[in-house]
Amino acid sequence: MSETQDRTPSPAGPVSPTEVSRVKQKAATLSVIASIVLTLAKFGAAILSGSLALLTDALQGLIDIGSTMFTWFAVRAADKPADDEHHYGHGKFEALAALLETAILFGLSGAILWEAANRLWSGSEPHVAVTPLVIGVLLFSLMVDATRWRTLTMVAKETRSEALAAEALHFATDFVGTALVLLGLILTRMGVPMADSATALALAVFMIATAVKLGRRTVDTLIDAAPKGVAERLREAAQGVAGVVNVEWLRLRPAGGVVQGEIGIQVSRTLPLDRVSAIKDDLLRALAVVEPDSALTVTANPVQVDDETALERVLLIALKMKVPVHHVSVHTIGGRLAVSLDMEVDAQLPLGEAHEVATRLENAIRAEFGGETEVDTHIEPMETGQPSGHNAPWEVVEAIGKAIAQEAAEAGGPIRDIHSVRVRETRNGLVVNYHCRADGALDVAAVHRAVDKIERKVREARPDVCRLVSHAEPAVPPEKPRALP
């Protein structure tokens, strides 16, 4: 038994997958445009100034253009629905984009680190011209990078996009890198020796640290590491759902901003299927409150619970074997369990086959409670078809109604007020249905004994009655007289 939840919307307000995809693609597109504009500006400033740090920043801009375009394609691919070849969707495309970002950061920082270290080792650094135009380009770049970082961070958080989160982190490094370049140029202008190379070296170290952080998160996604803390919250929410006996397992994996996985729960084996289905629906709603963007499959396994009675266990065995039973009695005699019941089989079934059904049922009950269990079954015929019939004449209805009322009065028991008498003529005889009333404080067993006594008397007086069905209702207590004013 299982059921799947597909990206359940947040209780605060549903957001359609189409809207999420549109926001992500718009953010990625604006990021590509900004990268192109900034890269061209930085190249021009680097050529004018001759700064290694600024040239490195401009080269990083070329990488930014490639990575942002890859992110744009990855976001579009990740939003595609599942198909025959990708049963769990395309969310890992975003993780691949983030992995490429990581590789780019490592490669670029390594090249910068090598060149800066060589310059510092040799002690020679080309002349760097710091002009107002160069400073202006860097200030403009800082403003754009800060805006891009803030915007992409917000969009990535709202849409849970790993590719956009990686891109936002990349632009955060751009901001810090540009700030370092600006600091280096200012120090160079002030006459500090090797300031430009030292700035490039610091920028490379910062980029390596950023790449390590991004790489660790990306690898966790690709190897299906469970999101930190999510499993504990989901398990706690599942344990609080009515009907869930225990949480057997919980497996989670991140994929494109969605938490996918499966949860296995235990439910009482005596519950009907519709109740189990309702428990799973309640569970999915509870999990959606904890983790709105999730796609979970629920598997419910039936188990025996501690408070399961012997009667419930017998009825469950019969239900599984598809054998109708009634009048089930369970007793303990001398330390041994004794079970007796009435079972119904097709009226046309040969006795030999009916006895085989009874034997299988008895063996199943003994297997449940132990071989020493005493089991007795009474075989009754069951009408499996739908015999045709018609309403009896009114004089027959009136006569049987009077007979029931007379027997109830003569019995002197709790049954009274016979009404709603209906009589149908069938090929097997008369089928009588009637309503009666009894004291609502009486227990069901007492009312049932009284009704059975009336039924036996009526069938003795009217052999043509093959079945008598009564419906007992609680008597309405008489109203107390109102006191006069």
Side-chain angles (χ1 to χ4, degrees), residues 163-179:
L164 292 182
E167 192 76 354
L169 187 60
H170 193 149
F171 292 138
T173 65
D174 286 350
F175 180 86
V176 175
T178 301

Side-chain angles (χ1 to χ4, degrees), residues 50-117:
S51 168
L52 172 63
L54 186 52
L55 179 60
T56 300
D57 206 17
L59 289 174
Q60 184 177 350
L62 286 178
I63 304 298
D64 288 347
I65 294 175
S67 65
T68 50
M69 291 186 67
F70 186 84
T71 299
W72 183 76
F73 284 113
V75 167
R76 288 175 60 88
D79 287 333
K80 292 181 180 179
D83 53 36
D84 293 338
E85 295 183 359
H86 305 87
H87 297 176
Y88 293 96
H90 301 74
K92 288 297 179 71
F93 274 108
E94 292 199 21
L96 289 176
L99 186 63
L100 178 62
E101 292 270 358
T102 303
I104 290 172
L105 286 173
F106 270 119
L108 186 58
S109 58
I112 297 171
L113 187 64
W114 177 265
E115 180 61 24

Side-chain angles (χ1 to χ4, degrees), residues 187-206:
L187 293 176
T188 300
R189 178 81 178 196
M190 295 172 60
V192 178
M194 306 300 293
D196 187 62
S197 298
T199 300
L201 182 66
L203 176 60
V205 173
F206 174 76

